[in-house]
Amino acid sequence: MSTLHFAIVGCGGITLQNHLPGLALCREARVVALCDADAATLERARQQTGVNIVSTNYEKIVQRDDVQAVIIATPNFTHAPIALAAIAAGKHVLCEKPLAMSGAEARRMAEAADKAGVRHMTAFTYRFVPAMRYLAHLVKRGDPGQPYHYRSCRLQDWGTRNLGWRQVKKLAGTGELGDMLSHRIDFAHLLVGPMKRLVANLKQWHPVRGGAPNDLEDWAAILAEFQSGATGVLESSKLASGRNESWRSLDSVELNGSERSFVFITGEWNKLQSGKVGGPGLETITIPQEFWKVPGSPRDPRQGDPLVTFRYDQAFEFIDAIRNRRPCVPSFHDGARAQAVTDAAVKSAETKQWVEVRQ
Ligand SMILES: NC(=O)c1ccc[n+]([C@@H]2O[C@H](COP(=O)([O-])OP(=O)(O)OC[C@H]3O[C@@H](n4cnc5c(N)ncnc54)[C@H](O)[C@@H]3O)[C@@H](O)[C@H]2O)c1
């Protein structure tokens, strides 16, 4: 099998934590080119990886003949122009979430990728938690029965520190909504299907973070109705003091159906809670081993911290979809669906009205 050549655009936090280690596990993939707008970050990445084709200009990198696939891990406002340039050059694209700055922009990206016949993937990384993959399987099998309610809660303690581009509207689009809630909007679509309408609220507590202006929200909440008739409540905060951060903080989803309820917590990667209607309460289900990784993934789920390493299956999914000429899961269309909810939430928070979600 020929080796797939990758370029990475954006060599900051998530590239170092996730994309590089994920690709390193895949023997049939090789990173051949790197791009970062910041020369010092690019030089550090060059030294760390030994990849010597580097540029601060993404156009030069995505147009290279020796690059077949591009990973975009830059601030949100750059996703669309970089993805569209890569697609125009005929490259497969894995782009970070939130996919774009608006639903319209995200849909343009998905349509351009479909038209060009390239693979496209949105990095909704938490879909790869084994417990979430197993829950999605149980839902598909019909175990919850008719879904009544979806509930998600993401609580972190980020205090008042400077979040860089994440606290600047023209660079990030939205704050907590796109940053953290976008993953949980995607879970909702995965488990319950498309949202129909919603009412939302956004709250900014700190107009200054770490001495710099913050013009985005620290907290977001959505009350939703799904097309299936199910209801949803989604909340996400950077200001849940004492809750810690990342996978050491709360990330929970609960699904109540006519037959069963299920509770997923990212921190409990190999367990779910479930209870049946009229039963004595929730019991623990252990995730079967065949769900500990994506089938075919080269990752050994017993190696490393499982709360970190599940993310590496994302690179495998992208590569496997390219190899087998099948759609990536999740695709740009999933990213665009989440973005439509984000647009509706912003509009609802501004107008204090229920808003229909454009699907
Ligand atoms: N999937 C996840 O779980 C997850 C987790 C963290 C971040 N993210 C997403 O990943 C993206 C990057 O986040 P991060 O935390 O790595 O940010 P970061 O600030 O650590 O890194 C971004 C890098 O992009 C570079 N950059 C900016 N503009 C550029 C351009 N035009 N061309 C090339 N490089 C450019 C910056 O210099 C920086 O090094 C964001 O969209 C974020 O939402 C996703």
Side-chain angles (χ1 to χ4, degrees):
M1 203 181 284
S2 63
T3 303
L4 268 176
H5 287 180
F6 279 75
I8 298 188
V9 183
C11 301
I14 197 63
T15 286
L16 301 182
Q17 275 165 32
N18 187 0
H19 298 303
L20 284 171
L23 288 173
L25 284 180
C26 301
R27 262 174 304 163
E28 70 275 32
R30 193 152 73 84
V31 179
V32 297
L34 298 172
C35 171
D36 198 287
D38 179 65
T41 304
L42 186 61
E43 176 55 19
R44 192 187 58 208
R46 189 187 69 75
Q47 286 180 17
Q48 276 178 9
T49 58
V51 172
N52 281 321
I53 298 169
V54 294
S55 175
T56 53
N57 179 341
Y58 71 80
E59 306 253 2
K60 279 194 189 150
I61 289 291
V62 303
Q63 283 168 10
R64 291 185 65 90
D65 289 340
D66 56 356
V67 166
Q68 283 124 33
V70 175
I71 293 183
I72 301 170
T74 50
N76 307 341
F77 77 105
T78 64
H79 291 177
I82 299 171
L84 291 171
I87 292 164
K91 315 301 180 191
H92 307 292
V93 182
L94 165 57
C95 182
E96 272 301 343
K97 49 50 64 181
L99 185 58
M101 297 290 274
S102 69
E105 194 175 65
R107 284 189 291 277
R108 269 202 301 281
M109 293 161 74
E111 281 159 18
D114 279 344
K115 202 164 161 205
V118 298
R119 303 297 132 206
H120 48 86
M121 182 167 181
T122 304
F124 284 131
T125 315
Y126 294 87
R127 279 206 188 197
F128 296 92
V129 180
M132 177 50 80
R133 291 188 50 253
Y134 189 54
L135 177 53
H137 162 79
L138 296 179
V139 168
K140 204 168 168 195
R141 204 170 73 177
D143 287 22
Q146 168 80 34
Y148 290 152
H149 313 304
Y150 170 87
R151 201 169 296 113
S152 72
C153 198
R154 181 72 177 117
L155 299 180
Q156 297 190 83
D157 175 5
W158 284 31
T160 58
R161 70 163 183 266
N162 189 325
L163 307 178
W165 61 265
R166 281 181 170 79
Q167 66 188 50
V168 182
K169 189 172 183 176
K170 66 175 195 281
L171 308 182
T174 59
E176 186 64 2
L177 187 57
D179 197 19
M180 295 295 153
L181 204 63
S182 57
H183 288 288
R184 285 83 216 174
I185 293 167
D186 178 63
F187 291 165
H189 288 160
L190 177 68
L191 299 176
V192 189
M195 268 184 214
K196 184 168 180 286
R197 60 182 201 135
L198 60 79
V199 64
N201 201 7
L202 307 175
K203 171 83 178 175
Q204 183 214 66
W205 277 94
H206 298 298
V208 175
R209 282 181 159 277
N214 170 32
D215 57 2
L216 289 169
E217 75 283 356
D218 303 305
W219 172 89
I222 294 175
L223 187 66
E225 258 180 39
F226 292 84
Q227 285 180 7
S228 67
T231 60
V233 179
L234 299 83
E235 183 193 15
S236 197
S237 180
K238 289 189 182 343
L239 295 176
S241 306
R243 280 278 190 180
N244 210 329
E245 293 183 32
S246 192
W247 58 93
R248 292 171 295 273
S249 57
L250 183 70
D251 180 21
S252 77
V253 167
E254 181 162 339
L255 183 62
N256 309 123
S258 56
E259 305 300 322
R260 277 195 166 270
S261 287
F262 289 96
V263 178
F264 158 85
I265 295 176
T266 294
E268 296 180 359
W269 66 275
N270 64 351
K271 288 185 199 123
L272 287 173
Q273 303 288 316
S274 180
K276 65 172 191 247
V277 63
L282 299 180
E283 58 187 25
T284 301
I285 300 174
T286 303
I287 307 306
Q289 283 202 18
E290 66 261 35
F291 284 86
W292 284 16
K293 65 174 189 174
V294 170
S297 161
R299 183 172 67 88
D300 177 352
R302 287 183 186 77
Q303 292 227 326
D305 180 346
L307 290 178
V308 175
T309 57
F310 74 81
R311 293 153 218 266
Y312 305 162
D313 283 358
Q314 185 174 268
F316 171 76
E317 163 62 20
F318 185 42
I319 292 164
D320 192 60
I322 295 170
R323 289 278 184 230
N324 292 299
R325 297 190 168 85
R326 62 162 176 85
C328 300
V329 182
S331 72
F332 277 9
H333 294 290
D334 295 293
R337 274 188 278 273
Q339 207 79 41
V341 171
T342 306
D343 284 3
V346 170
K347 188 170 171 199
S348 171
E350 280 168 6
T351 59
K352 310 289 177 210
Q353 303 278 331
W354 281 86
V355 173
E356 299 291 317
V357 177
R358 191 201 146 148
Q359 290 293 351

